[in-house]
Amino acid sequence: MKMTGAEIFIECLKREGVTHVFGYPGGVILNIFDLLYDNKDIQLILTRHEQGAVHAADGYARSTGKPGVVLVTSGPGATNTITGIATASMDSIPLVVFSGQVPTMLIGNDAFQEADIVGISRPCTKYNYLAKDVKDLSRIVREAFHVATTGRPGPVLIDLPKDVTASKAEFIWPEIDIRSYNPTYEGNKWMITQAAHLIAKSKKAVIIAGGGVILSGGSGELRDLVEITDIPVTMTLMGLGSFPGSHGLSLGMPGMHGTYYANKAIQESDLLIAVGMRFDDRVTGKLDAFAPHAKIIHIDIDPTSIRKNVRVDVPIVGDVKRVLTVLNKVLKEDIKEQWEEVRKAWLRQIDAWKKERPMTYTYSEDVIKPQYVIEKIYELTRGDAIISTEVGQNQMWAAQFYKFDKPRMWLTSGGLGTMGYGFPAAIGAQLAHPNKLVIDIAGDGSIQMNIQELATAVINKLPVKVAILNNRYLGMVRQWQELFYNERYSYTHLEVVPDFVKIAEAYGAVGLRATKPGEVEPVLKEAFKIKKTVFMDFVVYWKEKVYPMVPAGAPIDHMLFEEKEQKTEKKLKAVK
Amino acid sequence: MRHTISLLVENKFGVLSRIAGLFSGRGYNIESLSVGETIDPQISTMTIVTSGDDQIIEQINKQLNKLIDVIKVIDMTELAHVEREMVLIKVAPKQENKAEVLRLAEIFRGRIVDSSQHTYTVEITGDEKKIEAIIELLKPMGIKEFMRTGKIAIAREGTKKG
Ligand SMILES: Cc1ncc(C[n+]2csc(CCOP(=O)(O)OP(=O)(O)O)c2C)c(N)n1
Ligand SMILES: [Mg+2]
């Protein structure tokens, strides 16, 4: 039977199991929107900005493991998706983004609302397509879903000219065969054996787990590895939740705002086992001072991640879950170490570091410390909430003080660091998990970047909670200015922060505020009870900084701590 | 170090820009690039000359392999191979040098492919050294302009990697 391009599009989505599409209409995409009007299988979530649509699809994808789907119009609709696509690309999140395009005969003519979105999105997509002929459409859609979700996942864009959605073709659902795309899933057996031997020989090993563990569904295998070998684990920002944060062998996060003990352990280790991570500069600090005594085993599905930044002794290209399965088997059956004996001294050392400098902050009776808000959220949710974040101090405090025990409960823009990500991402996650508590931990700056999505949340009756850590500053940037730019606060004071309670109310959501530490818990409790979208405005101490901190470009054991500052403040007071 | 990398790619629109974009986006340099069809019209071949330390070259090879439209990446530098480049040189010699230009062209097994009252256009094929040499020799004769094709390379039959 002949179908129009728009009908083929709908049929393809159905076959791919798509139930939710995030989008925004416009002229050239109307053929598809017209069909969505009375379609029962696919719900379109109308956001209030295309960037919001992409982040929402991304939050949907991160929290479910399924690809997020976006549908927008040409020109400005398409260009508005770029920040969202780049965000997903940096964090390897599977998305399929459909953009309308002017009719094929007008392409290249600077037609109304024409943008070369295939060209513009090329560097931030895993792959992209211009569907020029309706006959190719179903194959392209099928390929796009395949490419987005396999290997190292990522966003794929399909540009749909208006005439292609109108013209007709026979529907086919071809098997896909991309001869030049064959991700490696099975790790090299010999390399895995080498890795097992290194693990057996090492006295001071550390595992660094990244987002790849979550993407491959390898958390269980990671836990097995830890339980067999008694090796402590540090999780990168993207890897939080890949291993239980409350486990005795968890070291928390490494790197710039990582824990003292994670960074110490890495620097002193004789073996690093890097699993599904890519040695980002926020993790390694000064590269040639990174883990100076360690041999490195690196497991990743993307060969380009291996030996990009650090030397590697045992490279293993493959899917984390499958590689760890084999590695665990080798360790259990062939090696049979007395692991506990081997690790005793090392774990004792790590415990000493944990005691020496635990992850803490100074509580205050007078002002709300932002870390206190996060602690309370953790306590009240017992760790069983989906947490998204914006970017800045709010993000780092959430990463430091909330313990993630399960994967896919933590949604944060790691690679690109996109302010405005958290709220729409929470909306996408809430749609996928209607009965879960979903909380965006936000900054007063970031929340204003996609605050219009309040409408989306309210209209779709999504009880997303937003906890704004309101410090009246672009806090993280202000922190750098305070520490490294002589307290010259150039354009980081927000001066007028809107009344977030009133904004929430204006959109039909609920607004709550806490200005004193004693109000934090009641506000949170009330918010969690309300089955509506809630903004919580926590007026926090503006000068609070994220510690520990490794200055950019320094070795990761050169950390700044809060106490120094307290001492100098005391000294200053004494002088006065 | 200098590497000559040969690629087999899907003959689709946008492929060249994906490859060029990879180099520009990651700050790798392209010294020369040439593209042509293969026996299979759906596949094109590209020869890229680039340079960098071992780590960069390893990354370039891996990044190229990762591009979905790239079917095969061969680092020719690791193989016994034949390299060729062609140059067209337009010379405007003084009257007394005209014979010398013709003589040089002949020594280099070149051909005169165009001549006018004041100029000769010489076509030379060879490896890089030969091309550089003829350019050096013709310079004092008054080169007006030249055009180089960029390198193409092909592996010698029966050679193994390494
Ligand atoms: C879109 C975007 N623009 C700029 C930045 C740079 N930046 C990083 S953190 C930050 C401040 C964020 O302020 P806020 O949301 O109030 O968070 P806080 O650090 O105060 O918790 C800025 C401007 C960014 N990450 N993203
Ligand atoms: Mg702020």
Side-chain angles (χ1 to χ4, degrees):
Chain A
M1 195 186 64
K2 288 215 166 186
M3 290 162 83
T4 66
E7 286 165 344
I8 291 174
F9 168 90
I10 301 275
E11 179 61 27
C12 290
L13 290 204
K14 239 169 44 191
R15 291 188 185 222
E16 292 292 346
V18 176
T19 50
H20 294 85
V21 176
F22 301 85
Y24 210 91
V28 297
I29 201 72
L30 275 176
N31 291 329
I32 290 177
F33 269 82
D34 189 55
L35 291 184
L36 288 171
Y37 187 57
D38 41 19
N39 186 290
K40 298 273 179 300
D41 305 313
I42 298 168
Q43 187 192 353
L44 186 114
I45 314 300
L46 177 68
T47 56
R48 292 301 180 270
H49 190 299
E50 287 88 352
Q51 185 188 346
V54 186
H55 290 326
D58 173 313
Y60 181 94
R62 289 189 207 223
S63 66
T64 59
K66 292 193 278 188
V69 182
V70 178
L71 179 68
V72 298
T73 192
S74 66
T79 55
N80 267 348
T81 64
I82 291 298
T83 302
I85 294 175
T87 302
S89 173
M90 287 291 264
D91 292 345
S92 312
I93 304 305
L95 296 182
V96 181
V97 178
F98 295 90
S99 52
Q101 182 54 281
V102 300
T104 38
M105 51 174 279
L106 290 181
I107 291 179
N109 283 358
D110 298 327
F112 177 64
Q113 295 197 328
E114 178 183 358
D116 173 14
I117 199 64
V118 171
I120 293 170
S121 67
R122 195 168 285 134
C124 61
T125 48
K126 183 168 171 185
Y127 198 59
N128 61 16
Y129 298 85
L130 170 62
K132 274 204 243 171
D133 187 335
V134 66
K135 289 199 218 70
D136 298 328
L137 184 56
S138 55
R139 174 188 55 82
I140 288 176
V141 175
R142 201 167 180 190
E143 270 185 24
F145 276 87
H146 176 69
V147 170
T149 52
T150 52
R152 177 176 177 177
V156 176
L157 178 136
I158 301 176
D159 207 16
L160 296 170
K162 185 167 190 181
D163 54 322
V164 172
T165 59
S167 49
K168 287 187 170 185
E170 206 64 51
F171 182 82
I172 47 164
W173 192 237
E175 286 306 318
I176 38 181
D177 168 31
I178 312 173
R179 60 178 154 188
S180 50
Y181 175 69
N182 297 300
T184 308
Y185 289 99
E186 306 298 340
N188 178 297
K189 186 70 200 283
W190 189 79
M191 285 290 180
I192 294 178
T193 314
Q194 292 303 104
H197 285 299
L198 274 188
I199 291 173
K201 267 208 314 223
S202 78
K203 299 261 177 310
K204 300 192 275 184
V206 178
I207 295 170
I208 309 185
V213 178
I214 297 168
L215 293 168
S216 82
S219 294
E221 287 71 14
L222 175 62
R223 199 173 171 150
D224 292 345
L225 172 65
V226 175
E227 272 158 17
I228 297 167
T229 60
D230 254 348
I231 298 175
V233 189
T234 170
M235 290 83 66
T236 68
L237 184 68
M238 295 306 301
L240 292 174
S242 63
F243 181 79
S246 58
H247 193 289
L249 286 171
S250 160
L251 300 174
M253 188 170 71
M256 181 174 275
H257 292 296
T259 63
Y260 171 70
Y261 34 97
N263 286 358
K264 265 295 203 193
I266 289 172
Q267 292 302 79
E268 299 276 313
S269 68
D270 62 2
L271 177 67
L272 281 187
I273 307 160
V275 191
M277 56 83 70
R278 58 183 172 86
F279 293 102
D280 182 272
D281 54 271
R282 288 297 191 257
V283 167
T284 62
K286 188 176 194 273
L287 264 179
D288 41 19
F290 178 73
H293 317 295
K295 291 223 185 294
I296 299 181
I297 299 168
H298 193 175
I299 305 168
D300 201 283
I301 197 158
D302 181 355
T304 69
S305 291
I306 293 175
R307 265 193 289 214
K308 184 170 63 182
N309 304 332
V310 300
R311 74 209 141 70
V312 171
D313 299 279
V314 181
I316 306 176
V317 177
D319 174 65
V320 164
K321 186 185 173 88
R322 298 201 207 177
V323 171
L324 290 186
T325 305
V326 180
L327 177 63
N328 289 342
K329 199 159 168 259
V330 175
L331 286 167
K332 251 201 264 178
E333 290 171 9
D334 303 348
I335 300 220
K336 299 196 188 95
E337 267 298 330
Q338 293 301 314
W339 296 108
E340 267 173 53
E341 269 315 299
V342 179
R343 302 287 171 228
K344 223 180 206 166
W346 178 230
L347 292 182
R348 207 181 301 130
Q349 170 66 70
I350 283 172
D351 262 350
W353 285 326
K354 281 188 177 177
K355 291 211 180 79
E356 187 187 345
R357 288 186 186 282
M359 182 52 95
T360 52
Y361 66 97
T362 313
Y363 176 77
S364 160
E365 300 269 338
D366 313 317
V367 285
I368 302 178
K369 288 297 187 82
Q371 301 94 324
Y372 176 68
V373 179
I374 312 283
E375 265 186 356
K376 279 289 154 195
I377 294 176
Y378 178 63
E379 220 179 278
L380 293 174
T381 59
R382 286 180 225 91
D384 190 29
I386 295 178
I387 304 287
S388 71
T389 73
E390 302 296 338
V391 168
Q393 294 180 312
N394 57 85
Q395 177 185 34
M396 289 301 117
W397 284 317
Q400 291 178 330
F401 290 93
Y402 199 99
K403 290 190 182 62
F404 296 90
D405 283 345
K406 281 182 268 171
R408 302 206 176 277
M409 307 275 280
W410 166 244
L411 323 173
T412 199
S413 167
L416 200 65
T418 309
M419 291 171 67
Y421 168 79
F423 185 34
I427 290 175
Q430 185 80 77
L431 259 163
H433 306 273
N435 299 320
K436 266 223 133 66
L437 188 53
V438 182
I439 308 167
D440 173 33
I441 293 173
D444 47 325
S446 301
I447 192 63
Q448 294 185 68
M449 285 217 176
N450 272 317
I451 202 160
Q452 76 286 346
E453 300 308 334
L454 260 168
T456 313
V458 169
I459 287 165
N460 291 287
K461 299 196 169 55
L462 298 172
V464 172
K465 313 292 181 246
V466 181
I468 303 169
L469 305 178
N470 183 352
N471 52 14
R472 279 83 67 211
Y473 273 93
L474 300 173
M476 184 55 95
V477 185
R478 192 205 64 78
Q479 170 166 347
W480 284 52
Q481 290 170 332
E482 182 181 333
L483 295 175
F484 312 117
Y485 289 86
N486 295 321
E487 302 187 49
R488 288 161 55 83
Y489 299 138
S490 177
Y491 301 101
T492 45
H493 188 203
L494 291 174
E495 296 178 46
V496 179
V497 173
D499 183 331
F500 291 116
V501 172
K502 281 195 188 148
I503 288 192
E505 286 167 0
Y507 274 98
V510 177
L512 303 171
R513 176 172 293 126
T515 54
K516 293 192 198 70
E519 294 165 1
V520 171
E521 191 166 327
V523 161
L524 285 170
K525 278 187 172 156
E526 190 182 345
F528 296 163
K529 255 192 284 174
I530 301 171
K531 297 270 171 280
K532 281 180 159 184
T533 313
V534 183
F535 263 32
M536 292 167 271
D537 183 15
F538 294 104
V539 180
V540 298
Y541 178 50
W542 69 277
K543 233 179 161 237
E544 193 66 13
K545 286 180 285 300
V546 181
Y547 283 119
M549 176 174 194
V550 179
I556 55 169
D557 48 357
H558 290 202
M559 306 181 87
L560 307 176
F561 298 98
E562 186 191 14
E563 62 204 28
K564 245 192 212 146
E565 176 182 343
Q566 287 176 320
K567 269 183 213 151
T568 42
E569 272 183 13
K570 262 185 207 151
K571 248 192 241 160
L572 285 176
K573 270 186 198 156
V575 172
K576 271 179 199 162
Chain B
M1 200 189 132
R2 212 109 165 274
H3 281 243
T4 303
I5 296 170
S6 174
L7 306 177
L8 292 181
V9 301
E10 295 289 347
N11 184 9
K12 284 189 203 159
F13 92 113
V15 175
L16 181 59
S17 97
R18 279 181 211 280
I19 287 166
L22 189 157
F23 278 78
S24 64
R26 294 187 181 268
Y28 308 142
N29 74 318
I30 298 184
E31 285 177 21
S32 78
L33 177 138
S34 67
V35 192
E37 257 189 21
T38 62
I39 294 184
D40 179 349
Q42 291 184 346
I43 297 178
S44 303
T45 164
M46 287 191 192
T47 309
I48 299 175
V49 180
T50 182
S51 58
D53 61 26
D54 287 353
Q55 198 194 4
I56 290 177
I57 295 293
E58 180 180 333
Q59 269 297 312
I60 291 175
N61 278 295
K62 286 174 168 178
Q63 293 283 358
L64 285 167
N65 251 315
K66 186 173 156 181
L67 289 180
I68 289 180
D69 289 323
V70 171
I71 302 165
K72 199 166 181 192
V73 181
I74 307 159
D75 192 338
M76 286 291 178
T77 317
E78 296 174 3
L79 299 173
H81 65 283
V82 184
E83 281 183 11
R84 286 292 178 270
E85 184 175 354
M86 190 177 95
V87 65
L88 296 173
I89 309 170
K90 195 181 280 175
V91 213
K94 294 210 182 84
Q95 191 58 36
E96 66 263 33
N97 285 334
K98 280 192 167 169
E100 178 65 2
V101 170
L102 297 178
R103 200 177 69 87
L104 283 170
E106 201 176 309
I107 292 172
F108 278 78
R109 296 176 199 276
R111 295 196 300 150
I112 306 298
V113 289
D114 184 41
S115 64
S116 69
Q117 206 177 350
H118 301 293
T119 63
Y120 289 123
T121 300
V122 190
E123 175 200 305
I124 307 279
T125 306
D127 61 14
E128 196 179 343
K129 276 200 199 107
K130 183 173 164 190
I131 304 283
E132 306 269 314
I134 185 72
I135 291 172
E136 277 316 302
L137 288 169
L138 285 177
K139 252 186 202 158
M141 314 277 130
I143 293 180
K144 277 187 80 179
E145 60 175 318
F146 63 77
M147 284 286 172
R148 297 172 69 158
T149 56
K151 238 186 248 178
I152 55 170
I154 197 163
R156 288 189 190 276
E157 192 52 33
T159 58
K160 279 209 197 86
K161 214 178 154 174

